[in-house]
Amino acid sequence: MCGIVGYVGSKNSTDVLVDGLRKLEYRGYDSAGIAVFEDGRIKIEKSKGRLDDLENKMGLYNRPNGHCGIGHTRWATHGEPSDVNSHPHGNERISIVHNGIIENYLQIKEKLESKGYVFESETDTESIAKLLDYYYHGDPIETIRRVLGTIEGSYALGILFRDFPDRIFAVRKESPLIVGVGKDENFIASDVPAIIKYTKDYYLLEENEIALLTEQEVKILDIDGEPIQKELHTANWDIEAAEKGGYPHFMIKEIHEQPTAIKNTVSPRIQNGLPNLGLENLTDERLASFDRIHIVACGTAMHAGMVGKYVIERLARVPVEVEVASEFRYRDPILGKNDLAVIISQSGETADTLAALRLAKERGVHTLAVVNVVGSSIAREADSVCYTWAGPEIAVASTKAYSVQLSVMYLLAFQLALVRKTVEPDQIQTLCSQLLDIPAQLEKLLHEVEDECQYYASKFQNAKDLFFIGRGVDYALSLEGSLKLKEISYIHSEAYAAGELKHGTISLITDDIPVIALATQKALYEKTISNIKEVKARGAKVLLVCREDSNLAGELSEYLIKIPLIPDILMPMLSIAPLQLFAYYTSVLRGCDVDKPRNLAKSVTVE
Ligand code: M6R
């Protein structure tokens, strides 16, 4: 989604803004722009396309030269990507950048047009810029307060007033914004990577707070304009974590960071051999008492929840429903007071997931957030939080965040099984120790199968359609393998429960159609083999991912990846690796933009 950076200090602000926006490129965008105070005037430069297009457009001579400004990367929602729709919006008197969506912008536009305002763009954002201009009579705070009282929707806003040079004003609602605090320089940003090169210290701006930044000072005011004291946060990672570190893409770097991420997430939560998530507001008694669990999330996070369902139900014998947040929030779900809602999100800012969390809370359901970004909206609003410790995930395609979400699903299943007494403690202890072994096994597997995956990707790179099949947790994993492939390689791909194929989809299986079959579950092996035979009989080319001890494997498939023997229930922790590598190399071979696939955004903060 869109990115915001603001800077005030002694450095050249255009350099800092463009540099910061580059660090937010992973969020996805299709145009960029900046507004900078130059000799007391606001100079705006913006362009459709990438930051390089903006740089080229500015060239040497139009490059704003000043020490305070705001910048934006836009991911189009209202109006196509174009110069005129790009941010900043406004004029030389007041200029703004905006993330989010203004729902009542048409009413505002109509009202302002009747007052003589002329709109140039198709964006909702322009209505805020014009409204600020309309209400402004010399007092920025008062003007902002009036505007906040009028606009409806979600927003993070950076604002410049010509009458107040070298100052940035900022507000937010439902769209994240942080205020970075440096030495003789201050920042606003929609995400930490934009400013981590300059400072690790930041405030999390809350709704109904107004930030006012100068070179020397940051003031945070409440909605009545009264100054408030806030806790200063310090990012616990550094610039290297947000750099490629010698890898060609963030995605492959993040795939290889998985063993460490899993270790960081799991190790502190296994004590004396037993799971202890250490959840605030959730005692073991309360955990044991839930009647039902609802796992709600989007995309990859939802797929982690799918594995969670199989594992929790198998071990803890409590019914689990998994649902995409955009459906859950609008279907008036049946929620009992004695249910638990588990909300999974890497970013902690996904609009639908946040809305689902709020709905569950409104209905009196205890909410447990599994989140990677510390201090994000979902983390702050949930009743209990379990952080995943993947570090910053920059590639749009989620990999290490998925693995740590899976790890938490296992820990939760183990702890639920323990407190509900559905599995003997010594068995849980064994499972915990096997989970602790995963990082080393995954590290080894990643190195062993990387070349093979690259080779198989070269075999399938020209496919138009591709199918993933599996049963049980392998089906849950197929969903993720398929999403990974389609989002970064643009190959049409679908995941099916292997037994379901013959109910329709098998008609699509013809000569040379690639099928990636997952068969890591002993109990389901024979059944899956039958399904593989069915597709092979119709001419499919099969890449089989199976257990190391699988018999028949070679006869069934053209291509083979063997997964070391670990308990069936833990298999997804390893078998995801070849699927991620396969997707990555297919994308590379097809010449796609691996880390920033078309049309996608890292953090989906709009519906
Ligand atoms: O930040 P979240 O985990 O809430 O994001 C959810 C999805 O948008 C995300 O997982 C998306 O599906 C990824 N692009 C998948 O790689």
Side-chain angles (χ1 to χ4, degrees):
M1 296 275 101
C2 310
I4 287 180
V5 184
Y7 173 75
V8 52
S10 56
K11 299 188 174 79
N12 177 297
S13 58
T14 299
D15 293 348
V16 179
L17 294 176
V18 173
D19 182 50
L21 291 173
R22 283 197 194 282
K23 299 288 182 311
L24 298 181
E25 279 191 308
Y26 70 92
R27 295 166 69 93
Y29 73 106
D30 38 45
S31 53
I34 57 172
V36 170
F37 279 109
E38 187 181 89
D39 300 328
R41 293 180 54 217
I42 299 175
K43 185 166 176 190
I44 300 175
E45 289 293 335
K46 51 192 194 174
S47 165
K48 175 185 164 182
R50 296 282 171 185
L51 282 159
D52 286 344
D53 297 307
L54 174 68
E55 289 271 28
N56 289 338
K57 193 174 172 197
M58 293 190 293
L60 274 183
Y61 301 110
N62 288 323
R63 201 176 169 81
N65 188 10
H67 300 283
C68 174
I70 48 179
H72 191 260
T73 42
R74 171 175 187 255
W75 189 82
T77 55
H78 293 60
E80 56 170 11
S82 68
D83 288 3
V84 73
N85 287 335
S86 312
H87 301 209
H89 282 280
N91 50 31
E92 289 183 357
R93 198 161 92 109
I94 299 172
S95 180
I96 66 163
V97 289
H98 165 223
N99 286 359
I101 285 184
I102 300 305
E103 283 155 10
N104 59 340
Y105 80 102
L106 285 175
Q107 286 109 288
I108 297 171
K109 187 175 174 187
E110 238 168 64
K111 176 179 156 175
L112 292 175
E113 278 175 336
S114 73
K115 309 268 177 211
Y117 278 89
V118 178
F119 282 71
E120 289 152 14
S121 76
E122 302 154 273
T123 65
D124 52 336
T125 301
E126 197 181 356
S127 67
I128 316 176
K130 296 255 184 312
L131 195 62
L132 282 160
D133 189 79
Y134 176 63
Y135 284 148
Y136 181 65
H137 297 292
D139 182 343
I141 302 294
E142 188 47 38
T143 309
I144 291 169
R145 287 173 57 196
R146 282 194 77 181
V147 167
L148 297 193
T150 310
I151 57 176
E152 288 164 17
S154 60
Y155 49 83
L157 289 170
I159 312 169
L160 304 181
F161 290 84
R162 184 188 54 196
D163 296 348
F164 294 82
D166 295 343
R167 269 168 219 224
I168 301 172
F169 297 83
V171 284
R172 70 168 281 267
K173 183 185 162 215
E174 289 174 17
S175 198
L177 198 68
I178 58 168
V179 178
V181 181
K183 188 168 175 332
D184 300 332
E185 56 184 3
N186 293 306
F187 307 80
I188 58 168
S190 37
D191 210 348
V192 179
I195 59 166
I196 193 92
K197 183 170 162 189
Y198 308 100
T199 180
K200 286 185 174 187
D201 297 331
Y202 62 93
Y203 294 115
L204 289 165
L205 199 62
E206 299 287 348
E207 293 186 8
N208 291 325
E209 292 176 351
I210 303 172
L212 166 52
L213 289 77
T214 62
E215 183 175 323
Q216 295 301 332
E217 159 180 70
V218 169
K219 266 194 205 158
I220 313 262
L221 312 173
D222 66 16
I223 196 66
D224 299 320
E226 295 299 322
I228 45 177
Q229 293 304 318
K230 285 183 69 79
E231 182 194 350
L232 194 63
H233 294 261
T234 302
N236 62 355
W237 46 272
D238 48 28
I239 184 74
E240 282 78 46
E243 303 275 346
K244 286 188 197 144
Y247 286 94
H249 299 101
F250 280 109
M251 182 177 175
I252 190 70
K253 173 180 177 246
E254 289 162 6
I255 288 174
H256 282 286
E257 282 173 349
Q258 291 180 109
T260 308
I262 295 169
K263 197 167 161 196
N264 291 344
T265 302
V266 171
S267 306
R269 290 167 172 140
I270 294 184
Q271 286 154 12
N272 302 321
L274 288 172
N276 183 1
L277 282 167
L279 299 171
E280 241 179 68
N281 307 325
L282 259 185
T283 59
D284 281 353
E285 291 67 40
R286 184 82 179 106
L287 262 184
S289 73
F290 290 120
D291 293 334
R292 221 155 41 125
I293 297 176
H294 306 264
I295 301 182
V296 191
C298 299
T300 288
M302 196 276 287
H303 294 157
M306 285 285 287
V307 175
K309 172 184 166 71
Y310 283 98
V311 177
I312 295 169
E313 287 190 342
R314 171 110 46 100
L315 296 177
R317 309 307 298 162
V318 54
V320 181
E321 286 175 17
V322 187
E323 195 164 356
V324 288
S326 52
E327 287 297 311
F328 179 88
R329 65 181 289 194
Y330 288 120
R331 78 172 169 87
D332 191 12
I334 300 168
L335 302 173
K337 292 269 181 265
N338 216 24
D339 291 355
L340 170 70
V342 179
I343 310 291
I344 311 177
S345 175
Q346 186 284 129
S347 62
E349 301 292 349
T350 303
D352 283 321
T353 313
L354 181 59
L357 167 100
R358 288 177 177 163
L359 174 73
K361 276 187 81 172
E362 262 165 43
R363 303 274 185 92
V365 172
H366 190 96
T367 53
L368 163 61
V370 179
V371 173
N372 196 47
V373 176
V374 175
S376 55
S377 303
I378 292 175
R380 280 181 285 159
E381 292 192 26
D383 299 305
S384 311
V385 186
C386 178
Y387 279 115
T388 53
W389 297 115
E393 190 181 63
I394 307 288
V396 164
S398 190
T399 53
K400 60 176 179 171
Y402 174 77
S403 296
V404 291
Q405 287 160 354
L406 281 193
S407 309
V408 171
M409 290 299 104
Y410 284 104
L411 289 167
L412 181 61
F414 297 167
Q415 193 162 342
L416 281 164
L418 190 69
V419 297
R420 291 168 68 85
K421 302 189 175 37
T422 48
V423 178
E424 291 302 321
D426 59 332
Q427 280 175 272
I428 304 264
Q429 242 168 357
T430 308
L431 281 167
C432 282
S433 126
Q434 285 160 334
L435 186 60
L436 285 168
D437 289 341
I438 292 288
Q441 289 161 324
L442 180 59
E443 180 130 35
K444 188 161 173 276
L445 180 70
L446 279 166
H447 285 107
E448 280 169 4
V449 298
E450 187 154 0
D451 289 350
E452 280 172 67
C453 289
Q454 188 167 5
Y455 173 68
Y456 299 148
S458 75
K459 292 289 166 195
F460 288 162
Q461 63 168 309
N462 295 320
K464 289 213 162 30
D465 309 284
L466 195 148
F467 293 86
F468 285 78
I469 58 171
R471 286 171 177 260
V473 283
D474 282 341
Y475 167 54
L477 207 63
S478 298
L479 292 167
E480 177 56 10
S482 170
L483 176 66
K484 218 72 316 163
L485 182 72
K486 70 185 125 191
E487 73 177 320
I488 58 168
S489 75
Y490 317 143
I491 294 178
H492 166 244
S493 139
E494 289 188 44
Y496 270 88
E500 181 64 12
L501 267 192
K502 59 173 92 53
H503 298 286
T505 309
I506 202 159
S507 65
L508 295 174
I509 306 291
T510 53
D511 272 355
D512 292 337
I513 289 280
V515 172
I516 299 188
L518 305 182
T520 68
Q521 302 297 296
K522 219 184 215 153
L524 298 167
Y525 186 64
E526 303 304 332
K527 300 282 172 206
T528 313
I529 294 304
S530 304
N531 301 132
I532 296 173
K533 285 184 176 161
E534 287 161 10
V535 294
K536 276 218 70 72
R538 273 121 192 128
K541 287 251 176 312
V542 175
L543 163 58
L544 176 60
V545 179
C546 62
R547 301 159 52 83
E548 211 164 58
D549 62 353
S550 300
N551 55 358
L552 292 173
E555 297 161 36
L556 282 171
S557 60
E558 279 71 24
Y559 310 113
L560 192 62
I561 293 176
K562 291 197 164 186
I563 307 293
L565 294 184
I566 57 170
D568 279 15
I569 200 164
L570 288 175
M571 273 290 179
M573 293 294 300
L574 294 186
S575 37
I576 187 57
L579 306 188
Q580 294 168 338
L581 288 168
F582 175 76
Y584 170 75
Y585 281 110
T586 306
S587 174
V588 172
L589 289 168
R590 286 168 66 91
C592 302
D593 192 347
V594 178
D595 286 336
K596 300 185 289 281
R598 70 183 177 212
N599 304 340
L600 289 177
K602 181 66 184 164
S603 174
V604 186
T605 50
V606 295
E607 273 194 59

